[in-house]
Amino acid sequence: MASSDPEKLMSKAEKLTKLSFTRWSADWKTATALFEQAAIGYRMRKDNEKAKEAFEKASKGQEMISSPWDAAKHMESAGALAKDLNRWSEVSDHYRRASELYMECGRSQPASDALAKGARALEDVQPDEAIRLYNDACGILEEDGKEQMAFDLYRAATNIYIKLEKYIDAATSLLRWGVAADACNAVHSQCKAYLSAIIVYLYLHDFKQAQKCYDDCTQVSAFLSSDQSRCASKLLSAYREGDVEEIKRVAQSSIISHLDHAIIRLARKLPTGDLEGIKIDDADEQEPFDEDNFV
């Protein structure tokens, strides 16, 4: 009976991958099976360090025998163990490598999922890297015409931006989400994303950018005729008129209540600054009186 001792399995597998006077070629097929058995044995012993190493070698072995799908699976297992070991840089590296291997198989969905798993593992400890992973995961799906599968990833990235108080990045992420929704005719999601971006700019008390965002978004006919567009218009009008009570009333509306929780929390805090300045700026932008026009 073959030994079930993971140490012996690893030792035997290592020998099969090394050349010697008696072995002129590596036997990666047999070695890979032994690495896999060792990885499972170590994991059952809860020896995560050695289990991670065994899965890494099993992944390499599957690559050597031209099986990128199985190599990706093992790399994901190594990434999960790296998370348990708090090896955060390895978490990112392993899930990124798994994603690359899935792409070698022409499988965009599992490739994106691998990046998302890494991102979720890193959200609390390396949020910036988590955002990069989420954005890269979105990009993979967009390139394959699967924009609708990326909506939850856009939501996750946006929520991290808001937690980090990177509100301009959050708005940019929401607008990108809106473009992706447009590509797959998800009109309702598109309109919600655009309204959310406008709310983020208002939370920043950047009325000019909020108005510009609204003007740009209304170039899209689906948004122009939507309830979300009318809600944004009411908010912007209330800001121009300096009507705090109207801003608060609109922020409590059912349209905003159906947005994501992070956006609702921002909306319920509006306005965040002095509205008099907005009224003055708005008046200053009116065309000045020119006597020459009446000469």
Side-chain angles (χ1 to χ4, degrees), residues 167-217:
Y167 297 112
I168 293 176
D169 290 329
T172 300
S173 180
L174 287 161
L175 292 171
R176 184 181 169 192
W177 183 356
V179 172
D182 183 47
C184 58
N185 297 315
V187 174
H188 191 58
S189 294
Q190 178 184 17
C191 294
K192 287 172 67 176
Y194 287 161
L195 172 58
S196 296
I198 292 165
I199 288 170
V200 170
Y201 284 127
L202 289 176
Y203 182 80
L204 272 176
H205 206 60
D206 190 342
F207 177 78
K208 288 183 179 179
Q209 189 59 43
Q211 182 67 60
K212 182 180 184 303
C213 183
Y214 174 78
D215 292 342
D216 290 343
C217 291

Side-chain angles (χ1 to χ4, degrees), residues 62-86:
Q62 290 292 355
E63 281 192 75
M64 296 299 290
I65 59 177
S66 302
S67 182
W69 177 269
D70 290 321
K73 288 289 186 184
H74 292 327
M75 194 55 71
E76 284 196 83
S77 295
L81 289 163
K83 174 183 180 292
D84 292 339
L85 292 164
N86 297 335

Side-chain angles (χ1 to χ4, degrees), residues 116 131 205 238 249:
I131 287 170
H205 206 60
R249 189 192 68 77

